[in-house]
C-alpha cells in the first residue's frame, strides 16, 4: 500500500475522528492525525513541520499531540507540544506507540490509530484533565499531505 487514499476508507476515517472526539472529552489536550504518502525528511522532522502547519503549537496550554503517518515509508511519529513534554516522563509516549505498533504489524491501521488515540487521551488526562469551559481548539478531522 503506497497511496494515502488506500490507507483508510472514509468510514474508517470517521471512526478515527469519533475516537478523537471521545478521547478529547476527558482532557484539554488536542489530538490530530496527519497522513501522507512519503517524506524526504526524517519522519520526526517532518512531523514537527506538520505540527506547526496545523497550528498545533498555538494551543493555550501547549498540549497538542500529533500522530503523523508516512504510508509508503511505513513510518509514524507521535509528537507532543512543549506543555506536555515539560511535565511528562521520558517514556510517556511508549505505551501509545506500542498500542499503535501492535495493530499496524497486522495491517489494521484503523484500529492502530484508534488504540493510539485512546491511549494518548488517557495519558493526557493525567496531566491535562478536561475542565469546565474547555473548548476544542483544533479540528478533529484527519489532515492529509
Amino acid at each position: 500500500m503506497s497511496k494515502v487514499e488506500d490507507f483508510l476508507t472514509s468510514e474508517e476515517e470517521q471512526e478515527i475522528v469519533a475516537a478523537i472526539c471521545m478521547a478529547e472529552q476527558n482532557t484539554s489536550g488536542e489530538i490530530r492525525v496527519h497522513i501522507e504518502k512519503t517524506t524526504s525528511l526524517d519522519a520526526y522532522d517532518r512531523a514537527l513541520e506538520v505540527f506547526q502547519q496545523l497550528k498545533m503549537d498555538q494551543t493555550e496550554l501547549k498540549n497538542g499531540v500529533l500522530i503523523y503517518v508516512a504510508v509508503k515509508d511505513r513510518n509514524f511519529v507521535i509528537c507532543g507540544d512543549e506543555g506536555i513534554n515539560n511535565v511528562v516522563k521520558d517514556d510517556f509516549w511508549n505505551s501509545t506507540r506500542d498500542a499503535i505498533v501492535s495493530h499496524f504489524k497486522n495491517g489494521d491501521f484503523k484500529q492502530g490509530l484508534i488504540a493510539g488515540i485512546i491511549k494518548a487521551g488517557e495519558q493526557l488526562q493525567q496531566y491535562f484533565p478536561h475542565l469546565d469551559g474547555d473548548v476544542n481548539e483544533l479540528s478533529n478531522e484527519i489532515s492529509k499531505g
Side-chain angles (χ1 to χ4, degrees):
M1 173 183 331
S2 61
K3 287 201 257 171
V4 172
E5 299 80 27
D6 297 336
F7 189 64
L8 298 167
T9 66
S10 58
E11 292 83 13
E12 289 173 329
E13 286 186 19
Q14 289 313 305
E15 289 180 60
I16 290 166
V17 170
I20 292 170
C21 293
M22 188 177 79
E24 288 183 356
Q25 286 178 358
N26 299 315
T27 178
S28 62
E30 296 287 335
I31 302 169
R32 298 281 321 254
V33 173
H34 180 84
I35 301 170
E36 58 189 24
K37 180 177 177 178
T38 187
T39 179
S40 59
L41 301 174
D42 173 78
Y44 184 76
D45 292 340
R46 176 62 183 145
L48 290 178
E49 261 187 12
V50 170
F51 196 91
Q52 292 178 337
Q53 288 171 355
L54 296 175
K55 300 189 182 337
M56 295 187 68
D57 56 343
Q58 296 177 21
T59 61
E60 184 179 350
L61 297 176
K62 302 286 186 199
N63 60 355
V65 174
L66 174 66
I67 300 173
Y68 166 85
V69 181
V71 175
K72 186 177 178 188
D73 303 340
R74 302 177 64 85
N75 205 348
F76 75 94
V77 173
I78 305 163
C79 90
D81 205 349
E82 65 186 51
I84 298 167
N85 294 332
N86 288 341
V87 297
V88 301
K89 298 177 196 159
D90 291 340
D91 63 351
F92 183 72
W93 294 114
N94 291 350
S95 61
T96 302
R97 180 201 61 219
D98 294 346
I100 295 171
V101 167
S102 69
H103 293 283
F104 274 23
K105 281 184 177 177
N106 298 322
D108 193 349
F109 304 111
K110 175 200 81 169
Q111 200 53 49
L113 288 169
I114 288 174
I117 290 162
I118 290 168
K119 183 59 88 173
E122 290 169 354
Q123 297 271 58
L124 286 170
Q125 185 179 3
Q126 295 175 38
Y127 297 94
F128 300 97
H130 189 275
L131 304 170
D132 286 344
D134 276 344
V135 295
N136 191 12
E137 297 178 78
L138 301 171
S139 169
N140 295 334
E141 295 301 312
I142 296 171
S143 60
K144 296 178 182 171

